Amino acid sequence: MADFGGGDIDAFRNEVRAWLEANYPAELRDPKAKTDPEAVWGGRAFAGGTDPQAVWTQRMGAKGWTTPTWPKEYGGAGLSPAEARVLDQEMAAGRYRPGVLAFGIWMLGPVLLEYGTEAQKKTFLPPIVRGEIRWCQGYSEPGAGSDLASLATRCEDKGDHWLINGQKVWTSYADKADWCFCLVRTDTSKKHEGISFVLIDMRTEGVETRPIQLISGESPFCETFFNDVKIPKDQLVGKVNGGWEIAKRLLQYERQNISGGFGGGGGAGGSAADLPVVAKSYNGTDETGRLADTDLRQRITRNEMDFRSLRLTIGRTAAEARASNGPSAATSIIKYAAAEFAKERSELMVESMGHQGLGWEGDAFTTGELTATHGWLRSKGNSIEGGTTEVNINVVAKRVLGLPDPK
């Protein structure tokens, strides 16, 4: 669709508002409603299910509003940027839950639209839109983390299929995912030019996952093993040995999404908006109602200002991405800043609570205090996921500032 004029956009806003009001499951209006926390990620386990969140996913997916700007022929709504902004605004104003949270939407879908064949787009994109397939990302390996191009997972051409052997690590939610988009080595004689991008059904014989427990007590990451895994030839995206270009593009989308989460006040350690309230409740206020601890107040204020600036920058770069051809290397600037601000916020949250912010379990601590502790530990991964801080700084130096490689 083309951008609406003022009157038309108002009509569209009214249409969106009415549809959301009529179709949002009544159970989800109760903040204490019990829904499966995994339902918002969608996937085979919830496709066609009756969990209120699953029902909401189905309705939003059928409307195409989980991916509002994707083309209609692939399941999206085909909305213009102006219409998509209206949808975002009405979702936020009505405090509606997202239709689905998905790596398929944030990372895989955009690169399939850019690099996939027509058959791949028609096969994989509609189930992503409808939240029927949950994806995970197979990039890092035990010997290929920051130096991702050193990956060794082998993909051999066996004529009528590909044969994959190797191991991935830090594969988020691999134990719950239906499919994996994965980097593999199809040429051992070259480094960057020997990598391909493939799609793997996690039910395929020879695929094994093992959850990794983190210091926070959670296990969102996994080790993933491929032992003589056979996949069809048409599950390779782009050109053979052309996967590095796709990998870099996908990482831009990933960093954009991760940064957006932090910038919106999410991420580990609780909402940025909660921090001043928490600090006052534990440390008291002065005669003017301000946080009594002057030094802590200044540091919290600085963090709040950093996040507000970050949100404005994210909005600007998102607008630039829509006006051009997707995200740029600037996502590395935002990813770096967002990770540092989120870690600082988590530190401030725990510091504000004093010893009550260091509990692990037990009746002596409230749910909020335990969440802060676990969130603080989880925040340590912010500077690793989506490309380490060191990698992102190098990208900024080379791709944004144009600095030469060190001699």
Side-chain angles (χ1 to χ4, degrees):
M1 290 185 180
D3 280 350
F4 280 128
D8 289 334
I9 205 71
D10 289 339
F12 180 70
R13 184 181 299 278
N14 291 334
E15 175 189 333
V16 169
R17 192 173 296 166
W19 188 91
L20 292 172
E21 177 67 26
N23 287 274
Y24 195 58
E27 299 91 333
L28 298 184
R29 297 185 185 281
D30 179 0
K32 297 181 180 179
K34 291 185 178 181
T35 62
D36 191 318
E38 294 298 323
V40 73
W41 290 92
R44 289 174 180 143
F46 296 96
T50 58
D51 183 282
Q53 175 62 52
V55 170
W56 181 230
T57 298
Q58 294 157 24
R59 292 175 181 174
M60 285 285 283
K63 191 75 171 174
W65 283 358
T66 55
T67 56
T69 60
W70 286 13
K72 286 187 175 181
E73 60 262 40
Y74 306 129
L79 300 186
S80 69
E83 294 170 307
R85 285 194 295 274
V86 167
L87 176 59
D88 287 342
Q89 289 165 359
E90 292 303 313
M91 289 281 289
R95 297 183 179 272
Y96 295 104
R97 297 189 189 188
V100 64
L101 302 177
F103 295 157
I105 291 175
W106 302 329
M107 294 184 274
L108 177 62
V111 298
L112 281 183
L113 285 168
E114 189 171 348
Y115 295 95
T117 65
E118 190 63 20
Q120 288 171 337
K121 293 175 186 177
K122 289 184 175 179
T123 297
F124 294 106
L125 292 178
I128 290 174
V129 174
R130 296 190 298 265
E132 296 171 351
I133 299 296
R134 183 172 180 175
W135 290 82
C136 63
Q137 177 185 26
Y139 270 32
S140 297
E141 298 183 3
S146 297
D147 185 14
L148 182 60
S150 294
L151 64 91
T153 294
R154 188 74 186 275
C155 179
E156 301 174 84
D157 188 343
K158 294 299 182 179
D160 63 342
H161 67 274
W162 298 105
L163 184 67
I164 301 174
N165 282 281
Q167 177 187 356
K168 298 291 178 178
V169 72
W170 310 121
T171 321
S172 300
Y173 308 110
D175 56 332
K176 298 178 175 65
D178 305 307
W179 280 72
C180 177
F181 48 92
C182 189
L183 293 181
V184 294
R185 182 157 299 285
T186 42
D187 187 339
T188 58
S189 67
K190 301 175 182 179
K191 190 175 182 180
H192 297 81
E193 295 81 10
I195 294 171
S196 295
F197 189 99
V198 299
L199 309 176
I200 303 172
D201 189 331
M202 296 294 280
R203 296 181 301 184
T204 307
E205 183 179 357
V207 178
E208 178 188 357
T209 62
R210 301 175 189 170
I212 302 171
Q213 189 175 56
L214 307 183
I215 57 174
S216 65
E218 300 176 349
S219 299
F221 302 123
C222 295
E223 295 178 286
T224 305
F225 300 89
F226 303 107
N227 301 300
D228 287 337
V229 174
K230 299 178 182 179
I231 66 169
K233 297 297 285 292
D234 61 5
Q235 286 175 203
L236 183 142
V237 179
K239 300 177 182 178
V240 175
N241 298 327
W244 188 246
E245 178 185 348
I246 301 176
K248 291 190 296 182
R249 190 62 164 165
L250 187 144
L251 282 170
Q252 288 181 334
Y253 286 108
E254 179 182 11
R255 289 164 186 165
Q256 182 183 53
N257 175 71
I258 291 174
S259 303
F262 294 146
S271 149
D274 292 337
L275 180 53
V277 176
V278 170
K280 287 181 180 180
S281 67
Y282 282 85
N283 296 273
T285 58
D286 61 18
E287 63 279 0
T288 66
R290 298 182 303 175
L291 177 63
D293 187 325
T294 304
D295 176 66
L296 182 60
R297 183 175 71 230
Q298 290 176 342
R299 286 184 287 133
I300 290 176
T301 300
R302 188 183 308 115
N303 185 260
E304 290 265 284
M305 292 172 64
D306 286 339
F307 264 109
R308 291 185 186 186
S309 299
L310 177 64
R311 283 194 287 272
L312 292 172
T313 304
I314 290 173
R316 176 174 58 79
T317 56
E320 292 172 350
R322 286 192 296 268
S324 57
N325 190 29
S328 68
T331 56
S332 290
I333 300 175
I334 298 172
K335 165 59 172 62
Y336 166 75
E340 294 305 309
F341 297 160
K343 289 196 298 181
E344 180 185 56
R345 184 181 64 211
S346 294
E347 294 278 357
L348 288 168
M349 183 72 78
V350 170
E351 180 182 345
S352 297
M353 293 179 175
H355 59 79
Q356 288 299 117
L358 298 175
W360 185 253
E361 59 185 1
D363 296 337
F365 303 95
T366 67
T367 299
E369 290 166 351
L370 296 178
T371 298
T373 303
H374 288 247
W376 165 59
L377 292 171
R378 172 63 182 85
S379 73
K380 303 306 178 183
N382 295 160
S383 58
I384 299 174
E385 58 197 353
T388 65
T389 288
E390 292 77 11
V391 166
N392 279 293
I393 289 176
N394 282 338
V395 171
V396 171
K398 294 179 181 179
R399 307 298 182 192
V400 179
L401 300 178
L403 299 178
D405 289 326
K407 299 294 185 180

